[in-house]
Amino acid sequence: MPRCIPEPYKIKVVEPLRMTTREHRQSCIEAAGYNTFLLDSKDVFIDLLTDSGTGAMSDVQWAGMMRGDEAYAGSRNFYNLCDAVRDVLGYDMMVPTHQGRGAEHLFFQNFLRKGDIVPMNMYFTTTRQHAELAGGIFKDIIVDEAHDPASRFEWKGNVDLGKLQALIDEYGLERVRMISMAPDVNMAGGQPFSLSNAKEVHAFCRKLGIKIYMDITRIAENAFFIKEREQEYAEWSIKEIIREICAQSDGCWMSAKKDGLVNIGGFLAFFKHEDEMFQKCRSMVVVYEGLHTYGGMAGRDMEALAVGLREVCNNDYLAARVGQLRLLHGMLDEAGVPLVHPCGGHGVFVDARAFLDHLDQDEFPAQMLAAQIYVESGVRSMERGNVSAGRDPETGENRHPRLELVRLTVPRRVYTQTHMEFTAEGIIELYKRRESIPGLRFTYEPETLRFFQARFEPITG
Ligand code: PM9
């Protein structure tokens, strides 16, 4: 078992968890149409559905909540948040939003022209949806290794500049006006890019006048891997690395519910030379989110985020967080459970295609595996495969991503080592009887972001 790294905090408030029987969980998953998003939280023992908005705030953040200035306009907490964004990330201007997809909506509506190509280091569900709604066409420019769960490559989040060049050759610079680069790439298994890759991408794009907008949702976790693995930055502080990452971009959006260490919130941020985009987004935020000095967040939420952005720069916290993930990853790996390697920054990803190798991808192995993990132990996880990828808007066919994964997403500062051990035990038990697990078929398929609300039934006989 990997050595554990103690958390640099102690527990002050506890929230009871309820263990249920297997029979109860079986009836719950059937009622939920085999979709873990449709389970009620009260029926879940350990909730590894997502790390989004599920973290525990610190005493300083809670104290900040009491300092919420709930004025409609010009709340002092807005200015505190602007200061934190400037200080930690380096961006000059910020537009608050209620969460990440609010920022994506404003960004793509204001930047894209119909038919624009949107190259990204792998898709993310809501990001691609908003790019497509604004008339864009998503293209994957991540390195090949990212699509191979077994590859031990340490920088699976890197952009492949050859793929970007091929898009420019095919569509021309008029249609490739931006790229988006996300740290700790979610759908690839929480895999980081290196700072040297970000710098190469920056130099390449600068030369051609292509803008770089980053989705910095999990930037601190990526910064931790850079400090750990990229010799040149070993002595840099996490904050210095974060600022250096952001310096490779023109602007960003963030779902603050992850590395912002808060339960709700998001924003767009830009450097000074992006004043036009900033003004456009600031004008539009009042239509969809709220006034430009709160953008859908309460004053107290902005204060908690201002504190969270500074707190997340603590290397000891990040070492313990990644250490906890490595513990879970290591226990499963030792038992032979197929996983995405190396262990990522926000979750442990099970290779469902290899786990249930008797199923076809159109029998939704990851969806079924997530359902079975819940029935086995009350642990809720999330499908990140065929269902999440959705259908190609042109052909109407399932997209069939190479990665068919179940994500065990660990909320920040919430669970203990024992919870990780319990989670591993349940999955290892399930692995021993994997051959008996059947596939699924849709009974209801929503048109957009289908993974949230789809329903399924087992394929029997
Ligand atoms: N991520 C996650 O669980 C929550 C919604 S999808 C199940 O991973 C990135 C990289 C994200 C992300 C959300 C968003 C959208 C943008 N970029 O959820 O709207 O991981 O705050 O952010 C989720 P919001």
Side-chain angles (χ1 to χ4, degrees), residues 179-318:
I179 73 155
S180 169
M181 214 175 156
D184 188 63
V185 180
N186 194 351
M187 302 301 279
Q191 302 296 325
F193 58 64
S194 67
L195 201 35
S196 63
N197 180 254
K199 288 187 172 187
E200 273 168 29
V201 174
H202 180 253
F204 180 94
C205 290
R206 269 288 166 278
K207 218 168 47 195
L208 299 174
I210 299 172
K211 302 275 188 185
I212 302 175
Y213 297 105
M214 288 191 182
D215 174 344
I216 62 160
T217 294
R218 295 183 179 85
I219 193 167
E221 286 156 5
N222 198 119
F224 174 80
F225 288 120
I226 289 173
K227 186 173 170 62
E228 188 184 60
R229 296 177 186 165
E230 236 174 328
Q231 198 62 48
E232 214 181 322
Y233 304 104
E235 300 305 321
W236 287 37
S237 70
I238 292 292
K239 186 169 133 184
E240 284 167 336
I241 296 174
I242 287 177
R243 284 180 69 100
E244 192 69 0
I245 295 173
C246 294
Q248 310 314 312
S249 75
D250 294 280
C252 77
W253 61 86
M254 181 179 201
S255 166
K257 300 169 73 174
K258 286 79 165 174
D259 273 352
L261 300 181
V262 288
N263 304 120
I264 194 73
F267 58 84
L268 288 148
F270 300 98
F271 287 112
K272 270 202 190 80
H273 66 270
E274 286 287 295
D275 193 51
E276 195 185 330
M277 267 302 284
F278 168 66
Q279 294 297 348
K280 283 184 180 172
C281 294
R282 205 166 85 120
S283 297
M284 197 185 256
V285 77
V286 300
V287 182
Y288 292 103
E289 304 278 319
L291 194 75
H292 56 275
T293 58
Y294 76 87
M297 278 189 277
R300 55 180 172 266
D301 298 330
M302 292 191 283
E303 190 62 29
L305 175 53
V307 177
L309 282 176
R310 296 183 200 278
E311 272 183 6
V312 83
C313 297
N314 180 332
N315 191 53
D316 292 343
Y317 151 71
L318 289 166

Side-chain angles (χ1 to χ4, degrees), residues 50 99-101 104 124 126 186 215 218 255 258 407:
T50 177
Q99 61 183 82
R101 70 199 75 177
E104 291 170 339
F124 183 69
T126 58
N186 194 351
D215 174 344
R218 295 183 179 85
S255 166
K258 286 79 165 174
R407 187 181 74 171

